[in-house]
Amino acid sequence: MSTISKQEVEHVAHLARLNLTEEEKEQFTKQLDSILNFAQKLNELDTENVEPTSHVLPLVNVMRDDVPHESLPVEEALQNTAEHQDGQVKVPSVLEE
Amino acid sequence: MSVFDLRIQEIHEQLRRKQLSVSELVDESFKRIKEVDSQLNAFITLDEEGARAKAEELDNLSNTDETGLLFGLPVGIKDNISTRGVKTTCASKILANFVPVYNATVVDKLNEAQAVMVGKMNMDEFAMGSSNENSAFRAVRNPWNTDHVPGGSSGGSAASVAAGEVFFALGSDTGGSIRQPAAFCGVVGLKPTYGRVSRFGLVAYASSLDQIGPITKNVEDAAYVLQVIAGYDQHDSTSANVDVPDYLSALTGDVSGLKIAVPKEYIGEGIHPEVREKVLEALKVLESLGATWEEVSLPHSDYVIPAYYIIASSEASSNLARYDGVRYGVRADQADNLLEMYKETRSQGFGAEVKRRIMLGTYSLSSGYYDAYYKKAQQVRTLIKQDFEQLFEKYDVIIGPTTPTTAWKIGEKIDDPLTMYVEDILTCPVNLAGVPAISVPCGFDQKGLPVGLQIIGKAFDEATILRVAHAYEQHTDHHKARPQL
């Protein structure tokens, strides 16, 4: 039985903000299925009372003093945008008309 | 013999005596790049103008100003490390036009140490890959045999150092991306402890695993570079506020009494016999110097690859959400609303492996699957980390091969991601545990391809793995071999 269906691949692609071609959908369904099947191996282990490790260093809430620093000039901050106007980043319309 | 076959100390001696100038070193670098890079594709961007200006500036300094530990040395920087004013593409179409407005902390540190950046190194797109075939621009080739892969993802960095195009290079290592290409290209690659080197300005792939480190031709040079780039950085809250020792003085050549653990999983089934043989020979050398080794077990080794790929892909799916065509990068222009602009930009901008990992990560983090995949993988990560902690209670270092095989042929594994993933079995556990490891050349297989020896140390104990690697290197000549191009 397959772990992931083509419909699920389409749904995940939407969540990941990707448009997939038909060919990519077929290919990813097959490849993700084999990777996820392989990942089932993790279920052989009993992890009932094991704490998850998200990070190896014992760090919690690293804080610094709230001191103002020099920041990037607006022109530099906008230098890599595809489109900008009046010191603002410009994007296509967000709301449908 | 190229001047690049010298050690840092020897080059500095020649510079001091005025037998050599920095401009000549930089000339040497560009001359070699022009001769051989069309065979290797190690570079994405060259900064010839910047490098020559910097060389001239350094040549004009008075002797007393020449204090940098890396004075005058031509360096290549992996193209996922931000360089102000010099394109930083991550070998991706989506960042093909990206020019950073600030330097990574490691780049500032190299500048302070008076190194000279020659250019930006090719890599697997967003550091995702083990063969460098995932570069959106062109695949890097192995200088020992250009039909073979150089390893990845820091393949350009490793190939370039091996071929003598740059004196040393920086790479990044999330699951082996410094050590594996170093092993495949016959050079030294060091992944420091997680937190030892600032990640500020390193384009994030999997933030809990990524580390920047040096690729050099010998262990002593690696100690020099680590000395310069290590240390706490207030711009990276995950960099560790731990003292940085003097790594050069750690290179004593003495390994008597050293206790080595050799996991049976690292020399058993699945490891190519020629690789195993070279590693056992290296252990004999260390034994002859007074070290002892015992066969041990890392019992969760079989679970490393699934845990690694779930965790790394999950973090990647989150980190790469920022490439949406808004603030930087290439934007698709045929979309008429914001959502379609995001989707088209990302679909056109990312290559197949990056999309695959974003998809895998998004799935693993999605509602209904989070506990079964992501959380489970994090729990298994705890078990893998504990395996290492237990061994380090009794042993000083863990030694094995860096990779199960030597470099494979270009195209051989590209169609089946899983067969490529399992090649990372010996390098990924080190990132999951957060400990440091170094790969050093330990011989060649019958095809003439290099074999890497991996020495893994305790957290923040880079000094010991450098000492062991250096002691070994003093008694072998493998690191002196150079590819013919």
Side-chain angles (χ1 to χ4, degrees), chain B residues 293-316:
Chain B
W293 67 274
E294 280 178 340
E295 199 169 293
V296 298
S297 176
L298 285 167
H300 295 98
S301 294
D302 279 354
Y303 305 96
V304 161
I305 295 299
Y308 171 82
Y309 276 94
I310 296 289
I311 290 170
S313 299
S314 296
E315 293 185 20

Side-chain angles (χ1 to χ4, degrees), chain B residues 400-421:
Chain B
T402 308
T403 56
T405 65
T406 55
W408 55 86
K409 279 198 166 153
I410 292 173
E412 200 178 310
K413 296 182 197 285
I414 196 71
D415 294 328
D416 184 0
L418 199 51
T419 63
M420 182 105 74
Y421 294 174

Side-chain angles (χ1 to χ4, degrees), chain B residues 62-84:
Chain B
S62 69
N63 283 346
T64 50
D65 298 331
E66 299 171 8
T67 53
L69 210 51
L70 302 173
F71 182 84
L73 301 171
V75 52
I77 311 244
K78 189 176 181 181
D79 211 23
N80 60 350
I81 297 175
S82 285
T83 44
R84 184 182 165 88

Side-chain angles (χ1 to χ4, degrees), chain B residues 367-419:
Chain B
S367 166
Y369 298 104
Y370 181 93
D371 282 354
Y373 290 98
Y374 184 60
K375 189 176 166 209
K376 184 80 186 178
Q378 285 188 314
Q379 287 172 313
V380 174
R381 181 177 186 181
T382 304
L383 299 175
I384 292 164
K385 188 168 170 268
Q386 286 169 352
D387 281 356
F388 278 85
E389 285 163 357
Q390 276 159 19
L391 283 186
F392 282 130
E393 282 172 17
K394 213 175 143 196
Y395 299 93
D396 301 305
V397 291
I398 300 171
I399 290 186
T402 308
T403 56
T405 65
T406 55
W408 55 86
K409 279 198 166 153
I410 292 173
E412 200 178 310
K413 296 182 197 285
I414 196 71
D415 294 328
D416 184 0
L418 199 51
T419 63

